[in-house]
Amino acid sequence: MKRTLLVLIAVAMCVAGFAQKTVIKTESFSATQARMLEVTAKSYVRPLVVDLVVKKGQTRMIYKHSYKRSDVDVAMGGSLDNLRSRVIYDATADPSWNCDAVVGPTFKIELSADGSQYDVEMKGFPANFDPNSWHPIGKGVEGQDDYKWIEKSAQTSDFANSGAVINNVKK
């Protein structure tokens, strides 16, 4: 039995060696190469510009809310900038404010005594988008060049680094 197994292994090795020699002796080579084309789409976005109208007769409104510290640390990455953005989002979603944006928001953020939550107070002026002023960036509704006032705002505004430049507000 052992002898038969040994003979079979030896025969298999000889056959494998002969097959390798045969492939090497033929010296024919064939290769196929496929190149994947990169599909890149370049899109150009022309932003829309809209004027904000601060509600007449409205005074500065106050929005107060508490956020769990664990939510701020995990969902918002522990960033107070992300917390401020969330407060503005929540304030505009609140039906008592009834607004699309908050102009000139100021924040007071305090950590509770036990350290479990952030108590946030935001003050700001509620504003809505002027429905007749939506237009692609370029010449504004009043004929002014949008690029010029955006460029000027970015250079002179305190909000230039935060990305929230709002200077063209009608009263």
Side-chain angles (χ1 to χ4, degrees):
M1 181 81 163
K2 289 183 183 180
R3 202 178 270 179
T4 310
L5 183 63
L6 188 59
V7 171
L8 282 173
I9 292 174
V11 169
M13 288 175 64
C14 290
V15 170
F18 178 74
Q20 283 182 347
K21 287 179 186 176
T22 305
V23 171
I24 292 173
K25 286 182 181 178
T26 59
E27 295 184 18
S28 64
F29 179 75
S30 174
T32 305
Q33 183 178 15
R35 295 182 185 222
M36 181 179 244
L37 297 175
E38 286 187 37
V39 179
T40 56
K42 292 184 179 180
S43 59
Y44 298 96
V45 178
R46 190 167 182 197
L48 288 175
V49 178
V50 65
D51 292 332
L52 289 175
V53 179
V54 176
K55 295 181 178 183
K56 293 181 180 180
Q58 291 271 329
T59 58
R60 181 172 241 179
M61 296 190 71
I62 299 172
Y63 180 78
K64 294 181 182 181
H65 195 72
S66 296
Y67 296 90
K68 292 181 184 176
R69 185 173 183 178
S70 59
D71 291 343
V72 173
D73 291 343
V74 175
M76 299 177 207
S79 168
L80 292 181
D81 288 337
N82 292 342
L83 177 61
R84 288 182 194 102
S85 297
R86 175 63 188 261
V87 171
I88 291 173
Y89 174 80
D90 290 343
T92 56
D94 187 351
S96 64
W97 278 59
N98 191 23
C99 65
D100 298 320
V102 180
V103 177
T106 57
F107 299 89
K108 179 181 176 185
I109 302 173
E110 294 179 341
L111 188 60
S112 64
D114 62 352
S116 65
Q117 66 183 15
Y118 286 98
D119 298 319
V120 182
E121 178 180 291
M122 180 187 70
K123 296 178 182 178
F125 296 98
N128 287 323
F129 300 132
D130 182 5
N132 299 325
S133 70
W134 286 96
H135 61 277
I137 196 166
K139 287 291 182 189
V141 174
E142 298 173 358
Q144 65 183 7
D145 189 7
D146 292 326
Y147 291 111
K148 287 183 181 176
W149 73 260
I150 289 174
E151 189 177 293
K152 183 180 176 185
S153 316
Q155 292 172 357
T156 61
S157 176
D158 293 334
F159 299 109
N161 294 329
S162 69
V165 178
I166 302 174
N167 280 344
N168 196 8
V169 178
K170 293 181 182 179
K171 292 184 180 180

